Amino acid sequence: MPHRTSFDVPPVLGLLPDAAVAKHLSRGMQSGQENPPQVALRKASTSLPENEARWRTAPIRELLGEAMTRFDDNRTAADAWLAPRLHATLRMTRAEAGDGRLWNHLAVLVAPDYVIWRHKGGEIAQSSRFSGPHYTQCFSRLWWAAELFRDGADYRPVEMACGVQDILNTTLRLDVIDHRPTAQAVLRVLERLISAGKPRVGDHVNALSAAVNTAGSTLVYDVLAPDTPPLVDELHDWIADAEDAPAVPWDRLPDGPDDGRVPRAAVDALLPLFDKLLAEAPLRRRGRTQEEATEAPEAPAVPVQRKGVSLEKDLPPWMV
């Protein structure tokens, strides 16, 4: 049965400034007891082009409704299922995805019920799940996880990444994950840990992430393991295909943009270093409950920052 909403959903996505969210986001909304003030929020937002299919909200609402139905007994498991499908539904460039106003609009005006369903801990969902950094905001973190951990058109690494909450809560925050071979090498180490039946996999992930981030920068890893330039035309063709693309499949992974796979040799070059870093990294047992371990701590109240993009074209006029 489709998930029903108790509020009017805008037909297309828009841009909602941080200030408007801060002004209107109440504890009643965060607890799910109140609906968003639609009139005030819509007045404060700017709609995206109605003639572009990729901005329509109906496919997103259908996807989120299915996630809430499928994973109501294990809500954290929804992340691995939803991330690749959200990315393949909401097709855009990194520059467009770096505008936090879009994610504000999705969380507050289009799908506040999903934010509460997925992230309500105790009495309320944290404000940063509605409007926050790309690694904390409910939908932004999933889209960026899919973007940074996919291997070209292959979303299988994304499922693995989002299946371990510490990847989303810790690793996704690191600038070095922008380097594709680094991201894939971290997942290769994770895959080995899981295959070996290592206990406390999340603690190992956190230890490795901290060590990788401390040991170098994106520039350093790019020298050790050069990546190939993305195929920009192929990415833009995939985005343009959104006009006629069918809805993403629910029982198999969709295809992402065929903009180039990560060089295997680059990943292999990093693995010995990452194995060494993990072996030498201090492993700290966290004194949290299992429920607490599924959620990231409240992010500081800072403005949403656009994620650095060096390989994208200029922003479209509606984002300026």
Side-chain angles (χ1 to χ4, degrees), residues 67-75 117:
M68 286 188 277
T69 299
R70 285 192 175 214
F71 299 99
D72 198 38
D73 292 335
N74 185 9
R75 299 183 181 191
W117 175 85

Side-chain angles (χ1 to χ4, degrees), residues 4-20:
R4 297 179 180 274
T5 62
S6 58
F7 53 90
D8 292 329
V9 178
V12 295
L13 289 170
L15 306 177
L16 181 64
D18 296 343

Side-chain angles (χ1 to χ4, degrees), residues 208-254:
L208 175 61
S209 298
V212 167
N213 196 54
T214 301
S217 64
T218 303
L219 179 61
V220 169
Y221 291 127
D222 200 33
V223 172
L224 294 173
D227 194 4
T228 54
L231 304 175
V232 177
D233 289 342
E234 282 75 1
L235 172 63
H236 284 273
D237 287 344
W238 180 75
I239 292 173
D241 288 344
E243 293 300 315
D244 303 309
V248 295
W250 289 351
D251 295 317
R252 64 173 177 82
L253 283 172

Side-chain angles (χ1 to χ4, degrees), residues 5-8 26 28-29 32-38 41 108 112:
T5 62
S6 58
F7 53 90
D8 292 329
S26 65
M29 288 173 56
Q33 299 301 310
E34 298 175 2
N35 286 330
Q38 291 275 325
L41 288 168
V108 177

Side-chain angles (χ1 to χ4, degrees), residues 15 17 31 45 47 50 143 150 155 169 184 196 198 241 256 306:
L15 306 177
S31 66
S45 64
S47 294
E50 295 185 8
W143 193 97
R150 67 182 174 88
Y155 283 122
N169 294 343
Q184 294 302 314
K198 284 280 189 180
D241 288 344
R306 284 184 180 167

Side-chain angles (χ1 to χ4, degrees), residues 54-73:
R54 63 191 178 127
W55 304 129
R56 293 170 189 161
T57 59
I60 298 174
R61 281 296 330 181
E62 186 175 9
L63 190 62
L64 299 179
E66 177 65 14
M68 286 188 277
T69 299
R70 285 192 175 214
F71 299 99
D72 198 38
D73 292 335

Side-chain angles (χ1 to χ4, degrees), residues 112-190:
D113 54 333
Y114 186 88
V115 180
I116 294 162
W117 175 85
R118 172 60 185 87
H119 290 294
K120 183 179 176 181
E123 296 182 357
I124 64 171
Q126 298 169 0
S127 61
S128 60
R129 299 302 189 181
F130 293 90
S131 177
H134 74 275
Y135 50 79
T136 302
Q137 203 269 355
C138 177
F139 301 110
S140 177
R141 72 187 192 115
L142 298 180
W143 193 97
W144 277 106
E147 173 66 13
L148 295 173
F149 289 108
R150 67 182 174 88
D151 187 3
D154 186 0
Y155 283 122
R156 286 177 296 176
V158 178
E159 283 191 311
M160 176 179 293
C162 295
V164 177
Q165 286 296 305
D166 291 276
I167 293 285
L168 290 172
N169 294 343
T170 302
T171 312
L172 191 61
R173 299 171 181 245
L174 308 180
D175 288 339
V176 293
I177 296 301
D178 287 350
H179 181 239
R180 298 194 307 160
T182 296
Q184 294 302 314
V186 168
L187 293 185
R188 287 271 291 275
V189 175
L190 171 61

